[in-house]
Amino acid sequence: MVIATNGYTGDATPELKRRIVPVASHIIATEELAPELAASLIPKGRTLSDTRRVLCYYRMSPDGKRMVFGGRARFTR
């Protein structure tokens, strides 16, 4: 089971109120791309990922105008 909360965990999970579980993650996007360039980057519109060291993924935004990059950060060996 996963209980995802922000910094204000409520009364539903009192044992989590004083615990912090950091998850380093990020997502960025390019500026709007020309339609020809966007179509050539990921021709079949799939999500591409690499999990060799940490999870990283690339995909086109839902409107098809930007490349989106996301992943998990790893701060330990």
Side-chain angles (χ1 to χ4, degrees):
M1 174 189 304
V2 173
I3 300 174
T5 68
N6 61 14
Y8 304 100
T9 301
D11 292 331
T13 55
E15 63 278 357
L16 295 179
K17 278 188 170 184
R18 294 183 183 220
R19 296 181 181 168
I20 298 174
V21 180
V23 176
S25 183
H26 57 274
I27 187 168
I28 59 173
T30 65
E31 63 186 11
E32 285 193 17
L33 303 172
E36 304 81 28
L37 176 59
S40 71
L41 291 173
I42 305 177
K44 295 186 179 187
R46 296 185 174 126
T47 298
L48 309 172
S49 65
D50 178 7
T51 58
R52 183 171 178 194
R53 289 188 45 132
V54 294
L55 171 65
C56 296
Y57 66 88
Y58 305 85
R59 66 177 177 85
M60 296 307 294
S61 61
D63 63 4
K65 296 181 180 181
R66 300 173 190 274
M67 172 71 76
V68 177
F69 167 80
R72 297 283 312 274
R74 183 174 178 179
F75 299 111
T76 61
R77 290 185 182 195

